[in-house]
């Protein structure tokens, strides 16, 4: 076992899009394993938009405490148990927990989420079978009031949440309309993620394509991005439509609201005239759904109806670059960083 525990931290808080020199890789002593705890060796770290939000004073409140300079950057990881002082875990067991961007983590055994490779590859337990997937499942089944035949509009369709929303929505009998950042990603969304149509937001006729894809308007907007895409979707909402606000990734790099006119009146007018129902989604309200959600999505993966894509970046030292690529749309699929050996790969 390594004598040191490397972790990725922030050298300073990013201003706008993070830069590679905002991050620093530090060494610390190996964590001590107390009674009732386990020592986990990280296999994969997650890279999600919420991690960027936690770096911002503007957005951190409501997610969790703001990421502290010098401490491991917060986020979930999949671990292999290398030492156990908890009767429910033995060496070699796999689990997921919010241990942050570090190679080793000692955590109390109670409440750790076990990872069953029979349900899907360990990396999927940070995406399609993990917290992002649960977010999509809870949003559609508990908040959106989705019904067969509903037109559901999903921004960031290739992200960790959006990719699962396509599969779940199609399985529910809904018409799934996705948005992504390239023609290649849009083809994958239709071929492998359950979307009926996916529109490239970089296309010069993007707005025209959205109108064509929504001839009968949008019943549900599953909002992951905000900004111009949100306003475009809002203009296509059906009367008595529903908006599930999951994320605002377009604004996570902004430390203050963008300058410009106050559009509060426009927003409230649209909500009032169309009698829209707007609900905020926080996945922490739905942890109890994990068994139900994993059984459903695991079955979709095994049947071949859903083929989630994982973008794997090698090495904890590259976690900062992985975040930058994810936020800029350069990565393809759910981004994870492989930190150590994956025993399920042989």
């Amino acid at each position: 076992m390594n004598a040191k525990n490397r972790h990725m931290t922030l050298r300073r808080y990013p201003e706008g899009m993070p830069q590679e020199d905002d991050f620093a890789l530090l060494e610390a002593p190996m964590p001590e394993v107390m009674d009732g705890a386990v020592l986990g060796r990280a296999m994969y770290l997650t890279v999600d938009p919420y991690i960027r939000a936690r770096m911002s004073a503007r957005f951190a409140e409501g997610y969790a405490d703001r990421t502290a300079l010098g401490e491991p950057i917060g986020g979930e990881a999949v671990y292999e148990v290398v030492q156990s002082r908890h009767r429910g875990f033995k060496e070699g067991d796999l689990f997921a927990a919010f241990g942050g961007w570090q190679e080793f983590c000692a955590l109390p055994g109670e409440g750790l989420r076990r990872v069953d490779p029979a349900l899907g590859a360990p990396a999927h337990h940070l995406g399609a079978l993990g917290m992002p997937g649960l977010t999509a499942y809870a949003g559609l089944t508990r908040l959106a009031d989705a019904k067969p035949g509903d037109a559901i509009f999903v921004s960031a369709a290739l992200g960790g949440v959006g990719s699962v929303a396509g599969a779940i929505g199609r399985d529910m009998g809904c018409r799934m309309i996705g948005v992504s950042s390239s023609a290649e990603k849009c083809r994958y969304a239709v071929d492998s993620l359950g979307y009926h149509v996916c529109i490239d937001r970089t296309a010069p006729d993007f707005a025209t394509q959205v109108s064509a894809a929504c001839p009968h308007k949008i019943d549900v907007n599953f909002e992951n991005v905000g900004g111009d895409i949100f306003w475009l979707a809002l203009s296509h909402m059906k009367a008595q439509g529903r908006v599930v606000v999951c994320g605002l990734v377009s604004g996570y790099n902004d430390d203050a609201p963008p300058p410009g006119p106050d559009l509060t009146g426009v927003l409230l007018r649209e909500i009032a005239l169309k009698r829209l129902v707007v609900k905020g989604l926080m996945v922490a309200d739905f942890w109890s759904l994990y068994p139900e959600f994993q059984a459903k999505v695991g079955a979709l993966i095994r049947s071949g109806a859903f083929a989630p894509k994982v973008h794997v970046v090698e090495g904890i030292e590259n976690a900062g670059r992985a975040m930058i690529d994810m936020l800029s749309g350069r990565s393809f699929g759910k981004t994870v960083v492989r930190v150590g050996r994956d025993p399920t790969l042989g």
Side-chain angles (χ1 to χ4, degrees):
M1 187 181 298
N2 295 341
K4 297 291 185 179
N5 180 29
R6 295 190 301 169
H7 67 267
M8 182 65 78
T9 188
L10 285 176
R11 179 177 286 114
R12 56 181 170 269
Y13 290 114
E15 296 181 3
M17 177 66 75
Q19 305 298 312
E20 288 197 63
D21 61 359
D22 291 332
F23 301 90
L25 187 64
L26 302 180
E27 286 188 347
M30 289 291 293
E32 183 179 357
V33 186
M34 308 297 289
D35 287 340
V38 299
L39 178 65
R41 177 187 60 80
M43 297 159 53
Y44 299 97
L45 309 177
T46 196
V47 181
D48 288 311
Y50 77 85
I51 297 176
R52 173 63 182 94
R54 290 187 59 191
M55 297 174 185
S56 166
R58 178 183 173 208
F59 286 101
E61 184 178 357
Y63 281 97
D65 292 338
R66 191 181 189 189
T67 299
L69 300 180
E71 295 297 315
I73 292 170
E76 199 172 22
V78 169
Y79 300 89
E80 180 184 14
V81 176
V82 294
Q83 182 183 351
S84 176
R85 300 185 66 179
H86 185 278
R87 62 186 179 184
F89 286 90
K90 64 182 185 302
E91 289 185 18
D93 286 348
L94 306 184
F95 68 92
F98 286 87
W101 286 5
Q102 56 184 329
E103 292 179 311
F104 293 88
C105 189
L107 294 164
E110 297 301 325
L112 298 179
R113 178 165 63 85
R114 291 184 178 275
V115 167
D116 182 359
L119 290 174
H124 285 325
H125 288 259
L126 295 176
L129 292 169
M131 184 271 289
L134 176 62
T135 303
Y137 184 80
L140 287 178
T141 65
R142 298 304 193 270
L143 297 184
D145 192 26
K147 306 175 183 65
D150 277 353
I152 300 183
F153 186 89
V154 183
S155 49
L158 262 289
V161 175
S163 61
V164 186
I168 293 170
R170 186 163 189 143
D171 187 65
M172 295 171 69
C174 302
R175 172 174 163 76
M176 302 304 296
I177 304 157
V179 173
S180 195
S181 59
S182 74
E184 181 187 11
K185 291 180 180 181
C186 285
R187 283 192 296 272
Y188 192 88
V190 172
D191 293 342
S192 301
L193 301 181
Y195 283 94
H196 294 85
V197 62
C198 186
I199 307 161
D200 177 5
R201 62 175 172 81
T202 68
D205 60 343
F206 172 62
T208 300
Q209 289 191 52
V210 169
S211 296
C214 308
H216 305 296
K217 302 293 185 179
I218 296 169
D219 294 282
V220 177
N221 175 23
F222 197 112
E223 186 56 57
N224 294 310
V225 173
D228 292 342
I229 294 176
F230 166 77
W231 286 104
L232 183 61
L234 185 69
S235 70
H236 288 79
M237 291 297 297
K238 187 180 294 185
Q240 298 181 337
R242 290 87 72 198
V243 180
V244 176
V245 182
C246 174
L248 300 169
V249 68
S250 69
Y252 289 163
N253 290 322
D254 299 332
D255 292 325
D262 182 357
L263 298 178
T264 306
V266 178
L267 174 61
L268 295 179
R269 183 190 66 200
E270 287 287 296
I271 293 172
L273 293 179
K274 294 180 177 177
R275 287 91 73 203
L276 301 179
V277 175
V278 182
K279 296 182 179 181
L281 171 56
M282 294 297 291
V283 71
D285 296 336
F286 299 101
W287 294 138
S288 64
L289 295 181
Y290 249 116
E292 172 188 327
F293 142 71
Q294 287 192 324
K296 169 61 73 175
V297 175
L300 291 173
I301 293 173
R302 290 191 298 275
S303 72
F306 176 36
K309 190 173 183 64
V310 180
H311 177 77
V312 180
V313 176
E314 298 288 347
I316 190 171
E317 65 276 8
N318 295 314
R321 167 48 59 185
M323 167 167 280
I324 295 166
D325 288 347
M326 180 271 297
L327 291 171
S328 63
R330 287 194 291 268
S331 56
F332 191 153
K334 169 68 184 80
T335 300
V336 300
V337 175
R338 180 153 46 205
V339 177
R341 184 182 67 92
D342 182 344
T344 69
L345 297 179

